[in-house]
Amino acid sequence: MTRRFAAAALGAVVGLSVFAGCASGGDDDTAASQSLTVFAAASLTEAFSELAEDFEAANPGVEVRLSFDGSSGLVDQIASGAPADVFVSADEKNMDRAVSEHLVAGTPAVIATNDLTLITPPGNPAGITGLDSSLDGTRLVVCAEGVPCGNATVALAESAGVELRPVSEETKVTDVRGKVTSGEADAGIVYVTDATAAGDAVEKVGIRGASAHPNRYPIALLENSPSPDLGQRFVDSVTGPTGLAVLAGYGFGPP
């Protein structure tokens, strides 16, 4: 089944509402049960694309519509009324915000962990050796503070006693990776899973102490889910052994 990927920019509420009509008309056992909208952190793009395909295969007639963005931006969209059934954050801070604003039904469940790493273009032409003085004068790109990868970067830099001087701060970790793979940056700080997904397009440079600042990924059914029964089934599939195995296959750590 062809999947429609919604662009999850902050201004996408209107566009997202187009397919909301499909998910909100009728009761949960009719038209609504045939589509499911999942808002997920950008670092989950590859893993959740596979999880969505698996769920569709196990539930004939169901279409999973995925929207990827920075976790804070996704919460903004949900709070503004963008229709969605399930939310997956790249950190607990943004999920806690969703809970405090009564956007979440039930208790979120952590499904994975992730650490940060440096990436460079192949061959590491700038000679980056880690989160140290080798970054001075380089075109470093990081996630903006406020989004999960940015918050983790700040914490890691502070613990290392390093002052970072990035040339760009992005709202999605995949944009950091994109600037490195396109040659616009000498180095970027991303999740290990993003480095793995980039394959030979990047070179990974480990960061000492990164494992002390892991990001934890919680998933939750949303309070205003147009298809709550279907949404809960999706959550159950992701939190089950098969779903966790898929996440592990993309390099995520255990919850």
Side-chain angles (χ1 to χ4, degrees), residues 39-86:
F39 277 16
S43 53
L44 292 164
T45 299
E46 290 81 11
F48 263 68
S49 295
E50 180 173 337
L51 288 167
E53 290 176 0
D54 292 346
F55 189 77
E56 289 177 342
N59 296 271
V62 171
E63 179 184 13
V64 180
R65 298 172 175 182
L66 300 170
S67 183
F68 298 107
D69 201 353
S71 299
S72 58
L74 292 173
V75 178
D76 288 340
Q77 291 184 54
I78 297 166
S80 297
D85 300 287
V86 174

Side-chain angles (χ1 to χ4, degrees), residues 1 30 37 65 76 80 93 109 164 175 199:
M1 179 179 295
T30 56
T37 303
R65 298 172 175 182
D76 288 340
S80 297
K93 181 178 179 179
L164 299 178
D175 289 344

Side-chain angles (χ1 to χ4, degrees), residues 91-148:
D91 69 351
E92 292 176 297
K93 181 178 179 179
N94 281 288
M95 182 61 79
D96 288 345
R97 177 191 159 198
V99 170
S100 69
E101 295 185 18
H102 308 291
L103 305 176
V104 168
T107 303
V110 174
I111 56 172
T113 54
N114 214 350
D115 297 336
L116 293 177
T117 189
L118 277 157
I119 57 171
T120 74
N124 190 4
I128 307 300
T129 57
L131 204 63
D132 52 35
S133 59
S134 66
L135 292 170
D136 294 346
T138 64
R139 296 175 298 165
L140 172 68
V141 179
V142 301
C143 292
E145 190 171 357
V147 297

Side-chain angles (χ1 to χ4, degrees), residues 65-66 87 101 184 219 223:
R65 298 172 175 182
L66 300 170
F87 171 49
E101 295 185 18
E184 297 177 66
I219 187 172
E223 182 66 36

Side-chain angles (χ1 to χ4, degrees), residues 141-160:
V141 179
V142 301
C143 292
E145 190 171 357
V147 297
C149 57
N151 294 335
T153 296
V154 169
L156 190 55
E158 288 179 348
S159 69

